[in-house]
């Protein structure tokens, strides 16, 4: 016997209510938890992204189970499911089914945050600073990329027998340097305009470029399921050409963009025009087999020379504050930190891997401070420590690896500890070293 139309309509309405409650409820949990932890981090003088990540851990599979990615196969909180079930007047099983079906929508929204954040990172890259310190910054950057990448990958392969692709990805994740964290500490201590400060900032810009190129190649190779040397070389060349084109366009296309922007009169012209460039660059990167994330960063590089750069930053930052928050919280929700429980003998190898990655990540960047030649006396320890924090760039790498399914839970957590450890240590060590030698802050750049 068919259901009466009225009952069908009521059923559809209840499903819509359940879907809305789930979607809005997830945003509510994410933003309240992220903001609370971000406020705590600010008061501790630590990056807010760490708070967002910890917020994800607290509400995710390692915490309250209020938000859990379906691929983790973790159970949603019974309290949350029963509350939504009673409000929407549907069964708990239907709530779980709707949750799983609509989760990709939340993940898609978080991708906007990832692309906006990488776009902003590229936009804030001072290419003139990189040119000003030239060979010193280049040597520091290359050393700071090659040493952690080579030692981390080799160690995971030969000592811990990690499969090649996850090992290479973990090595790539250690190449990052968070320009924002170091620049913030240098600025606070009046050290940003010194030769050491400019060397670190210039090297961090190049670090981001090299690291994201490596990341794009690794993820593309993993997606293709092949390790043939031909496709790898093709991707490396494509990534190099793509970044070179972006750097060229940053000098030549910005005036055209500025002229076009000056012709637009409708409200929102800055952010819309910027996102057109962002979308085109992401499309181009993906079309030639690279990661769209590289395209987002390249779009920022292209517009970094625009006379409207400040206006673009001001319009993009609120979008980053909203959508990148979702991205980092979702990374945290999927983290199963039980694999780091030292009381479980099965976790001991994972903890050793985490300690190994953290050690290599610290020493690899510290060594970069002694890799360049300089006629002037410079504080090489400051340069090495300044290159240490992985921060938001390391978390972006981790998020992409998690989304691509390249990492085991233990390696996932080990990389997370490496990112958190270097991000916490660097500001503390910088303040300690620079406070011990206040006279260096007066050196000219």
């Amino acid at each position: 016997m068919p259901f009466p139309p009225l009952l069908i309509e009521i059923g559809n309405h209840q499903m819509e209510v359940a879907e809305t409650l789930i979607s809005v409820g997830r945003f509510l949990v994410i933003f309240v938890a992220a903001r609370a932890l971000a406020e705590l981090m600010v008061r501790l003088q630590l990056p807010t992204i760490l708070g967002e990540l910890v917020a994800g851990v607290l509400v995710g599979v390692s915490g309250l189970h209020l938000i859990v990615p379906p691929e983790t196969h973790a159970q949603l909180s019974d309290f949350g499911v029963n509350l939504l079930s009673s409000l929407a007047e549907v069964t708990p099983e239907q709530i779980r089914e709707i949750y799983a079906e609509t989760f990709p929508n939340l993940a898609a929204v978080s991708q906007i945050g990832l692309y906006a954040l990488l776009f902003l990172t590229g936009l804030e890259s001072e290419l003139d600073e990189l040119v000003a310190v030239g060979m010193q910054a280049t040597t520091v950057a290359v050393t700071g990329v090659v040493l952690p990448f080579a030692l981390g990958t080799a160690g995971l392969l030969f000592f811990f027998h990690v499969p090649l692709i996850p090992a290479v990805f973990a090595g790539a994740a250690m190449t990052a340097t968070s320009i924002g964290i170091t620049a913030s500490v240098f600025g606070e201590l009046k050290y940003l305009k010194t030769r050491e400060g400019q060397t670190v900032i210039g090297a961090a810009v190049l670090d981001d470029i090299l690291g994201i190129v490596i990341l794009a190649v690794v993820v593309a190779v993993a997606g293709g399921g092949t390790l043939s040397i031909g496709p790898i070389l093709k991707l490396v060349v494509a990534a190099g050409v793509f970044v070179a084109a972006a750097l060229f366009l940053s000098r030549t296309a910005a005036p055209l963009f500025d002229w076009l922007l000056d012709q637009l009169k409708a409200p929102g012209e800055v952010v819309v025009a910027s996102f057109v460039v962002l979308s085109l660059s992401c499309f181009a990167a993906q079309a030639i087999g690279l990661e769209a994330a590289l395209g987002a960063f390249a779009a920022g590089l292209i517009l970094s020379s625009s006379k409207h750069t400040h206006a673009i930053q001001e319009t993009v930052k609120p979008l980053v504050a909203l959508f990148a928050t979702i991205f980092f919280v979702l990374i945290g929700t999927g983290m199963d930190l039980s694999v780091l429980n030292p009381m479980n003998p099965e976790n001991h190898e994972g903890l050793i891997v985490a300690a190994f990655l953290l050690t290599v990540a610290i020493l690899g960047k510290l060594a970069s401070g002694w890799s360049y030649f300089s006629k002037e006396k410079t504080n090489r320890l400051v340069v090495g420590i300044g290159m240490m924090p992985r921060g938001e760039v390391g978390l972006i790498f981790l998020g992409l690896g998690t989304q691509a399914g390249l990492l085991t839970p233990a390696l996932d957590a080990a990389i997370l500890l490496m990112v958190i450890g270097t991000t916490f240590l660097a500001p503390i060590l910088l303040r300690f070293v620079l406070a011990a030698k206040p006279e260096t802050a007066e050196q000219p750049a």
Side-chain angles (χ1 to χ4, degrees):
M1 179 178 177
F3 290 106
L6 180 60
L7 288 181
I8 294 175
E9 290 178 8
I10 292 174
N12 288 338
H13 174 68
Q14 289 170 334
M15 288 301 201
E16 290 175 1
V17 169
E19 185 174 335
T20 301
L21 287 174
I22 289 171
S23 299
V24 176
R26 282 189 296 223
F27 285 127
L28 183 63
V29 169
I30 287 172
F31 288 125
V32 170
R35 178 46 51 186
L37 269 297
E39 289 294 329
L40 175 62
M41 292 298 158
V42 167
R43 283 157 178 75
L44 295 175
Q45 294 186 327
L46 292 168
T48 57
I49 54 166
L50 287 180
E52 294 165 0
L53 191 73
V54 173
V57 171
L58 291 178
V59 302
V61 299
S62 294
L64 301 175
H65 284 234
L66 296 175
I67 298 177
V68 294
E71 62 269 17
T72 63
H73 304 293
Q75 291 295 316
L76 276 170
S77 161
D78 288 337
F79 169 78
V81 169
N82 292 332
L83 175 63
L84 293 173
S85 174
S86 63
L87 291 173
E89 299 181 355
V90 298
T91 66
E93 290 72 21
Q94 288 172 318
I95 290 293
R96 291 189 176 91
E97 183 178 344
I98 295 171
Y99 177 93
E101 289 178 352
T102 57
F103 194 86
N105 298 336
L106 182 64
V109 169
S110 78
Q111 286 295 105
I112 298 175
L114 169 63
Y115 297 151
L117 180 59
L118 281 167
F119 175 70
L120 188 61
T121 303
L123 197 66
E124 293 176 342
S125 297
E126 296 287 348
L127 298 179
D128 291 336
E129 291 180 358
L130 179 58
V131 174
V133 286
M135 279 306 298
Q136 290 182 0
T138 302
T139 306
V140 170
V142 171
T143 306
V145 167
V146 171
L147 274 183
F149 179 71
L151 294 177
T153 302
L156 290 174
L157 282 172
F158 297 113
F159 297 136
F160 302 103
H161 309 294
V162 174
L164 180 59
I165 288 296
V168 171
F169 185 89
M174 289 195 288
T175 64
T177 295
S178 171
I179 188 172
I181 293 169
T182 297
S184 175
V185 177
F186 277 170
E188 177 187 331
L189 298 175
K190 310 297 185 210
Y191 208 82
L192 194 58
K193 297 302 181 182
T194 64
R195 179 167 293 276
E196 292 92 337
Q198 292 299 292
T199 298
V200 170
I201 298 303
V205 171
L206 188 54
D207 243 17
D208 286 346
I209 295 173
L210 293 174
I212 290 173
V213 167
I214 293 172
L215 176 71
V217 172
V218 171
V219 173
V221 169
T226 178
L227 291 175
S228 302
I229 191 67
I232 293 176
L233 285 176
K234 182 180 177 181
L235 284 170
V236 170
V237 171
V241 170
F242 190 81
V243 172
L247 293 172
F248 173 76
L249 289 173
S250 72
R251 301 302 189 195
T252 58
L256 177 60
F257 175 83
D258 292 338
W259 176 84
L260 177 62
L261 203 57
D262 291 338
Q263 309 310 307
L264 301 176
K265 303 301 179 186
E269 74 282 5
V270 174
V271 68
V272 172
S274 301
F275 264 70
V276 167
V277 176
L278 169 61
S279 301
L280 280 172
S281 188
C282 289
F283 183 90
Q286 198 75 61
I288 62 175
L290 298 170
E291 272 295 292
L294 179 59
F297 182 77
L301 289 179
I302 291 171
L303 297 186
S304 63
S305 299
S306 167
K307 68 179 183 180
H308 297 288
T309 298
H310 180 71
I312 298 171
Q313 289 174 343
E314 292 306 306
T315 57
V316 172
K317 283 179 180 177
L319 299 177
V320 171
L322 280 175
F323 298 120
T325 293
I326 299 172
F327 176 76
F328 288 122
V329 170
L330 286 190
I331 294 174
T333 61
M335 293 290 174
D336 182 8
L337 297 190
S338 65
V339 298
L340 297 176
N341 179 8
M343 304 305 293
N344 186 346
E346 295 180 359
N347 293 340
H348 290 173
E349 184 176 349
L351 288 169
I352 295 172
V353 171
F356 167 76
L357 291 183
L358 181 58
T359 302
V360 171
I362 291 172
L363 295 180
K365 294 294 186 181
L366 282 178
S368 69
W370 277 265
S371 66
Y372 64 92
F373 297 100
S374 175
K375 293 180 181 179
E376 296 84 3
K377 185 179 179 181
T378 57
N379 192 330
R380 294 177 180 274
L381 181 58
V382 168
V383 174
I385 296 173
M387 295 296 292
M388 188 189 300
R390 270 50 174 195
E392 72 283 354
V393 186
L395 292 179
I396 290 169
F397 279 36
L398 178 60
L400 286 172
T402 302
Q403 290 176 346
L406 301 180
L407 306 172
T408 63
L411 194 54
D412 212 4
I415 295 175
L416 173 64
L417 286 184
M418 178 274 295
V419 172
I420 291 177
T422 56
T423 303
F424 271 84
L425 275 174
I428 295 171
L429 292 176
L430 274 177
R431 287 188 177 92
F432 177 78
V433 171
L434 293 179
K437 297 183 178 181
E439 71 277 3
T440 59
E442 302 302 321
Q443 295 175 358

